Amino acid sequence: MYRSRCGAYVAIFVFLCGVSSAERTPVVLVHGIIAGNETMVHPMQVIQDAYPGVHVLAPEIGNGKVDSMFWGIDKMVDAVCKAIADDPQISSELHLVGYSQGGLVARGVLQKCASLPRVRSFVSWVSPQAGVFGVPQLCDTDCPHWLQHLLEGLYKTPYEKHFQHDASFAQYWKDPLDYSKYLAQSVYLADLNNERAQKNATYKERILSVDSLTLVQSSADKSAYPFSQHLQSEINSILDHICAYMPPF
């Protein structure tokens, strides 16, 4: 039931963003952390059942489960950009849907891909677009020793170079108690959200170019903290950074 509802939600949101049986704009699904593109099979089937003929691409990020945790997110962005560029059925437009960490990857695709076809709609599906400050239910008593050690180190020194470059979720760790260090040492999220003094005007242009932007949260999510980051309790400040910036010319 849970998987069916999730797949149905994706289909509904894609529909609301403009897919129709006549247009058949391709859909790109980006999977989340500790997962591969097999987790996108059910949403893909639901979308294709709802909109016959719609092409859906769900690229694998590296080898899936391991690389989605230990690749840098910019490397994941490059992999998805290449998969889109190599797909002959995606040429002029697409709809972009990112699940969990995949939403941050997908937004990197939207804001950074050099030769990306026009993105008609962007759907952030339970993605921590404002960052995380805790992972309370990532594992219980059966948590592997190496993962427990990794999480303990992340809580203590999330902005150390080895964590920022070797643990994907460290790249969107946002410590509200040490915002200056976050701005100085975050290698992904602080840049993606245009939070630093030097802004990237292209990020603004890319975000404003979509016809529809949809943010989805789940009240059942126990993987990230704070809960409200899915709907971006900080969305106004983030959009101020990304979209309200006017270049000085």
Side-chain angles (χ1 to χ4, degrees):
M1 176 66 73
Y2 177 75
R3 292 180 62 212
S4 297
R5 286 180 178 176
C6 286
Y9 291 160
V10 173
I12 291 169
F13 290 127
V14 170
F15 171 75
L16 291 175
C17 292
V19 171
S20 76
S21 58
E23 295 167 339
R24 293 186 171 86
T25 301
V27 179
V28 177
L29 301 176
V30 185
H31 68 77
I33 191 171
I34 319 180
N37 63 355
E38 74 280 355
T39 59
M40 295 292 101
V41 170
H42 183 67
M44 179 187 298
Q45 291 174 341
V46 172
I47 292 171
Q48 291 175 328
D49 288 345
Y51 312 109
V54 170
H55 174 61
V56 182
L57 171 68
E60 183 81 287
I61 294 175
N63 66 10
K65 289 186 177 180
V66 176
D67 288 338
S68 66
M69 190 170 185
F70 293 109
W71 271 15
I73 300 185
D74 273 322
K75 186 175 181 179
M76 300 182 198
V77 169
D78 290 342
V80 176
C81 291
K82 185 178 187 304
I84 293 172
D86 291 345
D87 190 323
Q89 297 190 63
I90 302 177
S91 57
S92 59
E93 293 184 327
L94 59 90
H95 297 278
L96 188 56
V97 181
Y99 173 69
S100 188
Q101 176 180 274
L104 288 166
V105 177
R107 188 151 66 90
V109 170
L110 169 62
Q111 293 177 207
K112 297 184 177 187
C113 270
S115 56
L116 186 70
R118 190 176 90 84
V119 176
R120 291 189 56 193
S121 63
F122 175 79
V123 180
S124 173
W125 182 15
V126 293
S127 299
Q129 298 293 346
V132 298
F133 185 53
V135 280
Q137 297 294 329
L138 187 59
C139 55
D140 297 315
T141 55
D142 60 345
C143 184
H145 176 74
W146 65 268
L147 183 54
Q148 183 178 356
H149 178 72
L150 179 65
L151 291 175
E152 288 174 354
L154 179 64
Y155 273 103
K156 293 176 182 177
T157 56
Y159 301 116
E160 292 294 325
K161 182 178 292 187
H162 64 284
F163 277 120
Q164 283 293 306
H165 289 277
D166 296 331
S168 64
F169 50 89
Q171 297 185 356
Y172 49 93
W173 190 273
K174 188 172 184 178
D175 187 345
L177 306 178
D178 202 345
Y179 185 65
S180 60
K181 181 174 284 189
Y182 159 76
L183 287 180
Q185 299 181 18
S186 169
V187 301
Y188 187 75
L189 187 65
D191 170 70
L192 189 74
N193 285 349
N194 247 355
E195 294 181 75
R196 297 189 174 109
Q198 185 173 351
K199 308 298 182 181
N200 187 320
T202 301
Y203 291 176
K204 170 195 171 182
E205 294 167 1
R206 292 289 188 88
I207 289 290
L208 293 179
S209 70
V210 302
D211 296 334
S212 175
L213 186 150
T214 304
L215 304 174
V216 185
Q217 77 172 7
S218 169
S219 59
D221 191 348
K222 298 180 180 179
S223 298
Y225 182 85
F227 166 72
S228 61
Q229 38 72 36
H230 301 307
L231 283 184
Q232 287 186 281
S233 59
E234 301 178 34
I235 188 171
N236 289 333
S237 64
I238 288 176
L239 292 181
D240 282 345
H241 286 302
I242 295 176
C243 296
Y245 166 67
M246 298 301 293
F249 54 81

